[in-house]
Every structure is written in C-alpha cells, then in structure tokens.
C-alpha cells in the first residue's frame, strides 16, 4: 500500500497528539515538537501532570487510553498521533499482558478510525518482528499486528527501539554491592578477596559479558519519533532506533569508571539461575519465564537478527559516556 501524506496546515504546523504523559520519551518529544511550533496535546491519566504539561507549551488532555470515547474526542482534528502502551506492572499476578495489549491497541485503532486520523506513529520494540522466541516482547508483535488491520488509507509507522540505556538502573542494587543479593553476587562472581577488600558490585543476568548488542537513549527515540511525525509518509513501514552498539562488559566498564568502580563487570548466569532469581523477587512464574526467554534471545542474538537486516542508517547522538554521567548522579544520590 502506497499513499502520499502531505502537510496541509499553514507553514507546515501540525496538530499532534502525544500519549505517554511526561515519560522518558514523551517529555523530550513534546519539548521538541513545541519548539518547532506545532500544537501538541499530551494525554495523561494523572491530573497532577496538567500544569507540567502546560508549562512545556502543550495542551493537557487528562484521561485514559482505556476510554475509547476520550481517545476519539482527543484525536479528532489531529494531523498525527503518537501511540504507545503504558508500562505494565510485571509483579501483578492478575495481569494478562497479551489481553491488555489487545484491548488497549484495539482502543487506539477504534479511536483512529472514528476520528479519521490518517497518520500514526506507534512505539513498538526490538523483537516485534516475531512472536516466537522473544519471550516477554511478544506483546509488541501482537500490537503491530492489530495496527496493521487499520484501513489502508491510514499510514502507520512502527518505531522499534532497541534495549534502553536506562534499563541499567534495574541493576542499581547489585552494582552497589550492598544487601544480601549484592554481597551474594559479588561473592559468587567476583570471589572472596574482592568481597573482603570492599570491591563489591556486579551486573549479572542470563545475557551479558561479551554479548554485543545495540543500545538506545530515550532522547534519541524522541528525536526519531518527532522526525517521523512531521515528515510525509509514502508507505507503511517500521524503523529501528539505536544510539550505539556495545558489549555488555563495555557498558559495565564505562559505568564502573563513572562511579569509581573500574573493576565492575557484567557476568553471565544460566537461564535456570536467572529464573530462580526472578521468582525470589515474587515475579509470577509465566512472566519470569518470559523475561528469561527474552534475555536468552539477546544472548543468542536471535532478538537482533531482524535489526541487523534493517539497521538504521544513522545512530543517535547519545552515547554510553553520556548516560554514564547521568547514572553516576543517580547512583551517588541513593
């Protein structure tokens, strides 16, 4: 399907809807779009965000993407919409991620059709090209599939960012090397000598060490989304977004140097041990298995096969050195 989408507003200024409130991507996205003179409406379910949204020069639409009527009203008259799913609570044993995805994306598609929006940018993910072997990321494949059922005159582009630098924050406690888990992993992977000499702290998962993979900053994702929202589309497509390609140990080394732990390493653990660790933190069994499978796909390279077939021509501007400085500030505050 090919179609030409042209900007019709005076001076190419657009009415754009941004979902995701003021999150890691939506906030810098809103800032950039407003700075370029576009009329931006930000959807947030939190009334307390209204003043912050308005302070950026955007319009606040307070409501939830679970409300189709609210979405339709908000989308009506827009030139383009940016659609993303909210963060799911992986600790919730009652949550069916696939069903929640089906329901929320169906709300989007219904609102898009009823409001007659013709240009859509969807935040998807690495791994969305398949529903096999990607573990927890399978819901992104489902989301893209539902969006593809929209009428052919709706031009949609799926953004597929790779692993976020900010995911490293999930390892904060073990990097600090404190508490039972931090001390236990230091002893297991680094040894007794480092433990008693105070050289504590590790990163460990069932991917890591010399596994080489692309990483991305939310700021670079926002820049690409802004570009796609404001550029003419010729056909439906997808686009991978990355900032830098690094091994896990290169990540650990850079982070370690920024926090005065130059010995920090990223160790590889077995799938079995990873699953046991997740269950220890009360993550439901099926979800824990999904995380393990997702990580294993990173370790094997399966997750990145389609990325390397469709690599972005240009990488983002934010590099691991930039993120390491940000990480160090947070590390030293906690």
């Amino acid at each position: 399907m090919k179609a030409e989408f042209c900007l019709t507003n005076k001076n190419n200024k657009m009415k754009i809807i941004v979902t995701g409130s003021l999150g890691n991507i939506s906030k810098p996205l809103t800032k950039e779009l407003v700075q370029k003179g576009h009329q931006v409406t930000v959807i947030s379910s939190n009334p307390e965000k209204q003043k912050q949204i308005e302070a950026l020069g955007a319009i606040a639409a307070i409501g939830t993407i679970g409300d189709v009527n609210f979405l339709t009203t908000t989308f009506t008259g827009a030139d383009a919409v940016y659609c993303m799913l909210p963060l799911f609570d992986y600790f919730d044993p009652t949550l069916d991620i696939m069903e929640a995805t089906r329901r929320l994306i169906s709300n989007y598609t219904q609102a898009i059709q009823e409001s007659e929006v013709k240009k859509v940018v969807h935040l998807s993910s690495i791994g969305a090209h398949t529903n096999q072997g990607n573990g927890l990321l399978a819901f992104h494949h489902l989301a893209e599939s539902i969006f593809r059922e929209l009428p052919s005159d709706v031009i949609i582009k799926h953004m597929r960012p790779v692993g976020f630098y900010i995911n490293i924050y999930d390892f904060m406690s073990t990097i600090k090397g404190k508490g039972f888990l931090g001390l236990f992993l230091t002893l297991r992977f680094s040894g007794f000598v480092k433990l008693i000499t105070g050289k504590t702290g590790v990163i460990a998962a069932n991917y890591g060490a010399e596994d080489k993979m692309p990483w991305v900053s939310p700021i670079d994702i926002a820049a690409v989304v802004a570009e796609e929202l404001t550029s003419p589309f010729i056909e439906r497509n997808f686009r991978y977004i990355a900032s830098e390609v690094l091994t896990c140990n290169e990540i650990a080394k850079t982070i370690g140097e920024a926090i005065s732990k130059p010995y920090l390493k990223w160790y590889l653990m077995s799938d079995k041990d990873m699953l046991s660790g997740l269950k220890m933190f009360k993550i439901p069994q099926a979800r824990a298995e999904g995380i393990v499978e997702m990580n294993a796909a990173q370790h094997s390279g399966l997750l990145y096969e389609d990325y390397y077939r469709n690599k972005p021509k240009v990488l983002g501007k934010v590099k691991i050195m930039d993120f390491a400085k940000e990480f160090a500030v947070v590390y030293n505050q906690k």
Side-chain angles (χ1 to χ4, degrees):
M1 182 280 295
K2 290 191 176 183
E4 188 71 32
F5 182 93
C6 297
L7 305 182
T8 56
N9 290 347
K10 292 181 179 180
N11 301 318
N12 287 347
K13 301 308 178 187
M14 302 174 65
K15 293 182 179 179
I16 300 173
I17 310 301
V18 172
T19 59
S21 189
L22 295 179
N24 292 313
I25 298 170
S26 295
K27 185 174 182 178
L29 171 61
T30 298
K31 285 182 176 180
E32 180 170 347
L33 292 172
V34 169
Q35 288 170 359
K36 291 181 176 178
H38 301 291
Q39 180 181 307
V40 181
T41 297
V42 178
I43 291 177
S44 177
S45 60
N46 185 355
E48 295 179 1
K49 296 289 186 182
Q50 181 166 346
K51 290 184 178 179
Q52 297 177 49
I53 291 169
E54 292 172 349
L56 296 178
I59 300 166
I62 305 302
T64 171
I65 63 173
D67 183 341
V68 177
N69 292 332
F70 164 75
L71 277 182
T72 302
T73 299
T74 306
F75 285 5
T76 298
D79 296 303
V81 298
Y82 164 65
C83 298
M84 62 171 287
L85 287 169
L87 291 175
F88 292 123
D89 180 2
Y90 295 143
F91 291 91
D92 181 359
T94 67
L95 175 66
D96 183 332
I97 294 179
M98 298 299 277
E99 179 55 35
T101 297
R102 187 181 307 279
R103 175 172 52 82
L104 294 174
I105 298 300
S106 295
N107 285 354
Y108 275 138
T109 57
Q110 182 178 337
I112 287 165
Q113 291 183 80
E114 292 182 3
S115 64
E116 300 184 347
V117 169
K118 301 302 181 185
K119 186 176 183 182
V120 179
V121 174
H122 163 230
L123 181 67
S124 185
S125 171
I126 186 77
H129 67 289
T130 181
N131 61 355
Q132 300 293 322
N134 56 356
L136 200 63
L137 297 176
F139 74 88
H140 289 293
H141 176 81
L142 173 62
E144 288 196 11
S145 298
I146 296 172
F147 271 120
R148 281 196 291 271
E149 295 173 1
L150 282 165
S152 60
D153 62 337
V154 178
I155 305 170
I156 180 167
K157 192 159 191 177
H158 304 284
M159 304 290 97
R160 294 179 179 174
V162 296
F164 290 23
Y165 291 136
I166 58 176
N167 291 343
I168 306 301
Y169 285 122
D170 293 340
F171 298 104
M172 181 68 77
S173 62
T174 63
I175 291 173
K176 282 183 174 290
K178 295 181 179 180
F180 172 77
L181 184 60
L183 294 173
F184 172 76
L185 291 178
T186 296
L187 178 61
R188 176 177 176 182
F189 290 108
S190 299
F192 182 70
V193 173
K194 284 194 174 180
L195 180 64
I196 63 173
T197 56
K199 293 183 177 180
T200 59
V202 300
I203 304 175
N206 61 320
Y207 72 101
E210 294 306 306
D211 292 343
K212 194 168 188 176
M213 57 192 67
W215 297 81
V216 72
S217 165
I219 294 172
D220 288 332
I221 299 171
V224 171
V225 172
E227 176 189 330
E228 295 298 342
L229 281 167
T230 57
S231 301
F233 270 20
I234 297 174
E235 60 184 350
R236 293 184 178 187
N237 210 336
F238 61 87
R239 179 176 176 178
Y240 285 101
I241 311 172
S243 303
E244 194 169 12
V245 178
L246 300 158
T247 67
C248 292
N249 270 333
E250 286 173 332
I251 291 275
K253 182 176 186 295
T254 306
I255 295 293
E257 289 173 348
I259 60 173
S260 300
K261 287 191 172 185
Y263 52 83
L264 185 67
K265 289 187 178 180
W266 191 319
Y267 294 95
L268 185 65
M269 63 169 57
S270 70
D271 293 353
K272 180 179 179 181
D273 287 345
M274 185 73 195
L275 181 61
S276 296
L278 292 170
K279 290 168 66 178
M280 183 174 69
F281 282 95
K282 309 299 182 184
I283 294 180
Q285 175 77 23
R287 206 149 304 140
E289 291 173 353
I291 293 172
V292 170
E293 183 176 75
M294 174 183 68
N295 289 354
Q298 294 184 78
H299 175 57
S300 69
L302 173 68
L303 195 65
Y304 302 106
E305 288 179 350
D306 193 65
Y307 168 85
Y308 284 110
R309 286 192 291 264
N310 300 279
K311 287 193 300 184
K313 295 179 181 178
V314 179
L315 295 178
K317 296 180 180 179
V318 181
K319 305 304 179 184
I320 186 59
M321 291 292 292
D322 303 307
F323 172 71
K325 295 174 185 176
E326 173 190 316
F327 184 91
V329 171
V330 177
Y331 178 91
N332 290 318
Q333 287 175 345
K334 293 187 176 181

